[in-house]
Amino acid sequence: MSTRLSALAASVALLAGFALPAASADTGGSAGPTVNLATNPGFELPSPNLADWGSIPGWSCTGGPAEAAVTTTAPYSGTSALTVTPADADSTGECAQTVAVQPNTTYTASAWVRGNFVYLGATGTGRDVAPAWTETTGGGWQQLTTRFTTGPNARSIRLYVHGWYQQGPFSVDDVRVDGPAPAPAVARGSIPTSDKVVFFTVDDGWQRAPEAERFIADHHLPITAFPLPMPAGTDPDFFKRVTSVPGSSIQDHSVSHSDLSKLPLEQQQVEVCDARDAMTRLFGTAPVVFRPPSFASNADTLQAAANCGIRTVLTADADFSWGASNIWHPGPLQPGDVVLMHWTDTLAGDLPRAFAAADAAGLRPAGLVDYVR
């Protein structure tokens, strides 16, 4: 018997003696309607414009498009399902997503699967959780279900599905993580504070001028960057350099820069969650703030952000982009103001102008993440 099959036998023996978590009542999370918190649970949503080629909205698959694809052949329901064909003997074909949860709260995860030795589970719950699994679905569809209660510090979990070594392809459809919906994120145009500070934020990332980079470094400016995943992935070292000043950070600006107010909640969630995942993968820290492109948003935007674990949806109250000096309230800049700029060929001039306006008002630029809780 091969090493992988020996590992499979050991895993089966272990799981046979590892009972699924007992059903239990909610033990302290905030009350709210029970909803499905999974992103793109039926694999029906289209990839946003500017998304990585071959990506599956809402999901990260270890083998990428070489292993995982959305197919329309005999889904469990709807028009499509996920089919994973492990590329070699060392792959289980895992696909996963991060799901925002509340602490001390019970959730039920389920999925319809087809294939041999398919697993569904969650990590990061704060407690041991046995995966649900099946030895074989006999060529048809079978529902896997597991229930877990989060620990006192859990704010997100990693939901995963995978097969097993050398056991062939498997399919997944109609994934669910059922539990209370998180409270909507808070919309802000400025940050409440009595400190004499303003916040410089810079969006998009298509043009990366070295003169702007030098100004940031020379003046030790904390910058909150909101790049799109595509330009960020093209030149991640640039964004690491321009956010190297303490207090600086890289936050979430959606995948495609679309008008989110024209998209349903499910597609908005893909835009926010996939950009969150891209920023986390590129820079090692999950965003805590979301800026809707062109400030276009609605109530669904606030809920989508919350479903992606983001508590603040931020616009601005001053715009110094493209040579402008617009303050959208009477008088000069005020403590807590958020200044909008963009990564463009004018940024090298926009930054000094914003810096001078802050200085004239007796304010200093500060790091946004130090003030957002």
Side-chain angles (χ1 to χ4, degrees):
M1 181 180 288
S2 70
T3 301
R4 293 302 187 192
L5 291 179
S6 297
L8 172 58
S11 176
V12 170
L14 172 64
L15 291 171
F18 195 173
L20 294 180
S24 60
D26 185 346
T27 56
S30 301
T34 296
V35 298
N36 183 9
L37 298 172
T39 303
N40 193 18
F43 306 95
E44 307 282 344
L45 297 179
S47 292
N49 292 333
L50 306 180
D52 292 340
W53 180 86
S55 64
I56 297 171
W59 294 85
S60 175
C61 299
T62 55
E67 291 190 347
V70 173
T71 61
T72 58
T73 303
Y76 174 73
S77 71
T79 61
S80 57
L82 173 69
T83 296
V84 181
T85 304
D88 55 47
D90 294 322
S91 174
T92 63
E94 183 179 82
C95 292
Q97 64 174 258
T98 299
V99 180
V101 295
Q102 298 179 36
N104 299 318
T105 304
T106 298
Y107 295 87
T108 301
S110 63
W112 287 88
V113 302
R114 183 173 60 198
N116 297 329
F117 290 99
V118 187
Y119 294 73
L120 167 75
T123 59
T125 65
R127 308 176 192 272
D128 289 335
V129 179
W133 65 283
T134 181
E135 183 174 351
T136 180
T137 66
W141 288 94
Q142 177 182 332
Q143 189 178 40
L144 300 179
T145 301
T146 185
R147 201 171 192 209
F148 59 89
T149 299
T150 55
N153 300 313
R155 298 292 176 182
S156 66
I157 59 98
R158 182 175 181 271
L159 178 75
Y160 65 84
V161 291
H162 65 70
W164 199 255
Y165 306 104
Q166 304 177 50
Q167 297 302 303
F170 64 92
S171 297
V172 185
D173 204 359
D174 291 1
V175 180
R176 300 191 65 86
V177 180
D178 290 313
V186 177
R188 295 195 183 281
S190 61
I191 305 300
T193 180
S194 58
D195 292 352
K196 293 184 177 299
V197 296
V198 293
F199 306 102
F200 286 2
T201 65
V202 192
D203 288 9
D204 298 349
W206 294 111
Q207 294 174 284
R208 299 175 290 276
E211 296 83 4
E213 181 182 346
R214 282 196 295 272
F215 187 87
I216 291 168
D218 291 347
H219 291 79
H220 207 59
L221 285 182
I223 295 293
T224 303
F226 289 90
L228 300 174
M230 187 170 285
T234 299
D235 194 358
D237 287 344
F238 171 84
F239 292 100
K240 291 176 183 177
R241 292 195 303 270
V242 296
T243 57
S244 61
V245 175
S248 297
S249 66
I250 297 175
Q251 301 297 329
D252 191 326
H253 194 38
S254 84
V255 174
S256 70
H257 208 275
S258 296
D259 182 344
L260 298 190
S261 67
K262 296 180 179 179
L263 299 178
L265 171 62
E266 294 79 6
Q267 285 184 250
Q268 292 199 45
Q269 188 166 323
V270 165
E271 289 275 358
V272 181
C273 287
D274 278 7
R276 172 207 62 192
D277 292 344
M279 296 303 104
T280 305
R281 184 171 60 252
L282 287 168
F283 304 110
T285 302
V288 296
V289 180
F290 173 67
R291 169 166 282 159
S294 304
F295 297 171
S297 64
N298 55 22
D300 282 346
T301 311
L302 302 182
Q303 190 61 60
N307 292 353
C308 297
I310 289 176
R311 301 301 313 148
T312 302
V313 174
L314 185 71
T315 57
D317 42 23
D319 182 10
F320 279 69
S321 305
W322 294 292
S325 298
N326 299 319
I327 300 173
W328 296 321
H329 58 66
L333 291 173
Q334 298 174 0
D337 276 355
V338 176
V339 178
L340 171 69
M341 288 173 276
H342 289 79
W343 299 106
T344 65
D345 57 2
T346 68
L347 184 58
D350 298 337
L351 281 166
R353 197 170 59 259
F355 188 79
D359 187 59
L363 306 172
R364 61 178 177 82
L368 183 70
V369 289
D370 295 334
Y371 286 80
V372 174
R373 298 290 183 264

